[in-house]
Structures are given as C-alpha cells and as structure tokens.
Amino acid sequence: MDPVTHALSGLVLQQCGLRKRFSILIIFLSTLAPDLDYLTRIWGADLLLRYHRGITHGILVLFLFPLFMAFLFRKKTGFAYAYGLSLLGYGLHILMDLTNQYGTRVLSPLDWNQYSLDLTFIIDPYITGGLLLAVAMRWINPRRAQVFALCAVLLLSGYLAGKSYLQDRAKEFLKTKVDAQVYRLYPLPNDFLRWWFITKLNNEVSTGFADLFTQRVCIQEKYSLDRHDSLIQASEKTRVIRNFLSFARYPYAEVKKEGERTVVTWKDLAYSFLPGERVTAKVVMDGQGEVISSKFRF
C-alpha cells in the first residue's frame, strides 16, 4: 500500500477506541515506520526494488521497532502499553502490504522469499477512500468516531474477503480453459471481475485476462523463458538486472538491435498489463557486447 493509505489506517485504528494520550502519535509513527526503506531510492530505483519491503517489513524488526517506541514513550504511556500499541500499528502495515501483489519479505531475515495474497493492486482507491471517509466522519461527528472506524474495519475486511472469493472463482474458471502446471492471478486496478493471469506449462508462460463477467479467457502473449542467449546472460551481471531479478516473479528478457547497439529489455510479466514500459529494466550494449548503460523504470 502507499504511505497515505498506511497513515489513514493508523488513524482509523486509533479511532477504534485507543484514546489514551499519545496513542495517535505512537500508532501513526508505527504504521509509517516500515517504509523507511524508501530511503534506498536515493542510491537508485533498482536498489529500492531490491530492499523495499525487505528487512523493515520482516518479523525481526516487527518486534524490535516497538521496543524503541516503548522506550521513547515509557514515561508518557507506560512501557507495555506503548510496546503493544506500536506492535499493533507496525503489524497492521505489514498485513496490509501482504494483501497486494508487490510482494513482502515478511519472514526476513530468516527467509528472503517474497509473499503476497495478490488481492489488491499496489494503490487501491476503495481501501484508501473507505479509510479517509472514516477519518473525515470523525471530525464531522466526534461522538460517533468509534462507530465509523469499526464500520470501516468491517467493510474493508468484507471487501478483502470478497476479492479473495472472486480470485478463487477466476482461478477455477481459468483452469477449465487453459491447461497449465502453474496458475497465478493478479488484481487489475479498479476491477473486480477481471483478473490478469500468468500460466506456466513446462518452459512456456502465457499471460492474459480472465473475465468472470463475460466468462471469457483472453490469452494476450506467450513467452519462452529460455535465457541461454549470451547477451541476456551478460546483462544479468549488471547491478540493475541483479536487483531486478531479486524482485521479479516472472522475468522475461528481449534482445533488440538499435543501429550499432543492442538493447536487452527485461520486464516482469506479472505487471505486463501496465501501459508503456513500466516495471522494466534496460541494458544497452555496444557492438562488442560491452555494457554502455543500464537503468530501471517503475
């Protein structure tokens, strides 16, 4: 989720009845703290790709950061209260991130694999809007602030449960139309009944849309995951591509000649429904296969 949504989730959580002094500050800081890894963007977009939702979103820091907050606010609220509140806010951030397809290394540093429920896109206006409405109603009618917050929590929980149900339905429908060994479905922005899918059969990957409303499956592209091309292998040695591969679920590389230069373009097929060259990495080489430049674009 984006930082605005996380901040709103903290405010709604505090609005549920946690009225002790400094509660809102503790929760607000704790719900935003995991995204401190955004600072890696200073050294390059590819480094953000590797380290975002890494150690700061892992189980170790989940229990360590609240210790810092508890020590900081121990005289204001009591050590145990501040620790529990911070743990709740920090954990809420990680839980919300797990719902979308970006992937979260929630078990780091014990396990560096990415986990996700693939229920929501990275930015979900329905979740953000629901939280914002609950916060706004707090100022309009302060006496019913807790009721508004609890309603928002229930509605958003129902929203996610509904998305999970629709995802399962879409996957079962896809299995009746496409023969494969692996089926993955990803949410599309602002859509409920249409899902982006990736299927894998041996070394071939297919991408497309599964539409529950029209009861149709549209295969958009088919790709071979063969990466034996020497130029592709050379591009994998660059920092940008190493970082890209640490993130991408279904990486695919294309080699194209542009005059005397060769461009190796990498993309993550899980995001290939996005227009333009989003979530792509490019390596430009000269006629001798030497790397001239490499860059990543969100």
Side-chain angles (χ1 to χ4, degrees):
M1 295 294 178
D2 60 284
V4 172
T5 303
H6 284 304
L8 289 171
S9 71
L11 294 176
V12 170
L13 179 61
Q14 188 274 336
Q15 194 174 320
C16 286
L18 303 171
R19 298 174 180 175
K20 196 171 183 178
R21 194 182 179 194
F22 293 102
S23 293
I24 191 169
L25 182 58
I26 295 172
I27 291 179
F28 185 76
L29 293 176
S30 298
T31 53
L32 290 178
D35 280 343
L36 285 172
D37 55 15
Y38 265 112
L39 293 174
T40 56
R41 180 66 176 81
I42 297 172
W43 295 278
D46 60 299
L47 286 176
L48 175 63
L49 198 68
R50 173 181 281 274
Y51 295 112
H52 182 43
R53 296 202 189 177
I55 189 68
T56 62
H57 288 67
I59 192 169
L60 178 63
V61 181
L62 169 63
F63 291 101
L64 288 180
F65 180 82
L67 288 175
F68 167 74
M69 294 296 289
F71 179 80
L72 193 64
F73 288 92
R74 68 190 186 283
K75 294 181 180 179
K76 307 292 185 181
T77 64
F79 188 92
Y81 181 84
Y83 182 88
L85 209 56
S86 179
L87 182 67
L88 192 61
Y90 206 97
L92 177 63
H93 180 117
I94 295 174
L95 180 62
M96 292 184 68
D97 279 352
L98 280 171
T99 66
N100 63 57
Q101 69 195 84
Y102 190 94
T104 303
R105 298 178 177 91
V106 66
L107 297 180
S108 61
L110 305 176
D111 176 4
W112 291 101
N113 289 314
Q114 299 180 83
Y115 297 92
S116 63
L117 297 175
D118 302 329
L119 298 178
T120 61
F121 192 60
I122 299 170
I123 298 176
D124 191 310
Y126 299 104
I127 293 178
T128 307
L131 295 172
L132 180 60
L133 181 61
V135 172
M137 293 303 294
R138 173 184 191 169
W139 300 108
I140 296 173
N141 191 341
R143 292 183 179 181
R144 295 188 178 272
Q146 185 174 354
V147 174
F148 296 134
L150 292 173
C151 286
V153 171
L154 290 174
L155 288 173
L156 293 179
S157 298
Y159 172 73
L160 293 174
K163 291 277 284 189
S164 179
Y165 171 76
L166 291 172
Q167 185 190 56
D168 288 340
R169 286 286 306 277
K171 182 177 288 188
E172 292 304 315
F173 173 63
L174 180 61
K175 288 180 178 179
T176 66
K177 301 294 184 180
V178 179
D179 183 28
Q181 298 158 333
V182 176
Y183 298 86
R184 292 296 300 267
L185 277 87
Y186 298 98
L188 292 167
N190 306 321
D191 210 324
F192 299 95
L193 299 177
R194 203 165 59 122
W195 296 76
W196 179 253
F197 72 78
I198 293 178
T199 61
K200 184 179 180 182
L201 181 63
N202 299 323
N203 202 41
E204 184 178 80
V205 169
S206 299
T207 63
F209 300 95
D211 194 325
L212 291 174
F213 180 72
T214 61
Q215 291 291 293
R216 295 178 60 188
V217 168
C218 176
I219 296 178
Q220 183 165 301
E221 296 285 351
K222 291 188 176 183
Y223 304 89
S224 172
L225 296 184
D226 183 9
R227 282 154 56 175
H228 291 105
D229 187 293
S230 60
L231 293 174
I232 292 178
Q233 293 176 346
S235 72
E236 292 182 46
K237 298 177 181 179
T238 64
R239 188 195 81 173
V240 167
I241 302 305
R242 289 199 307 271
N243 290 332
F244 176 79
L245 292 176
S246 73
F247 163 83
R249 306 285 187 87
Y250 290 92
Y252 175 74
E254 292 179 326
V255 180
K256 291 184 179 180
K257 295 289 292 185
E258 295 184 0
E260 296 182 353
R261 296 182 174 184
T262 301
V263 179
V264 181
T265 302
W266 287 83
K267 57 184 177 181
D268 185 353
L269 299 182
Y271 295 91
S272 55
F273 60 86
L274 293 172
E277 296 183 341
R278 307 291 298 273
V279 196
T280 59
K282 283 190 175 184
V283 178
V284 180
M285 302 178 180
D286 61 20
Q288 286 71 46
E290 296 295 324
V291 175
I292 299 174
S293 64
S294 59
K295 63 180 180 179
F296 170 76
R297 178 182 177 185
F298 275 112

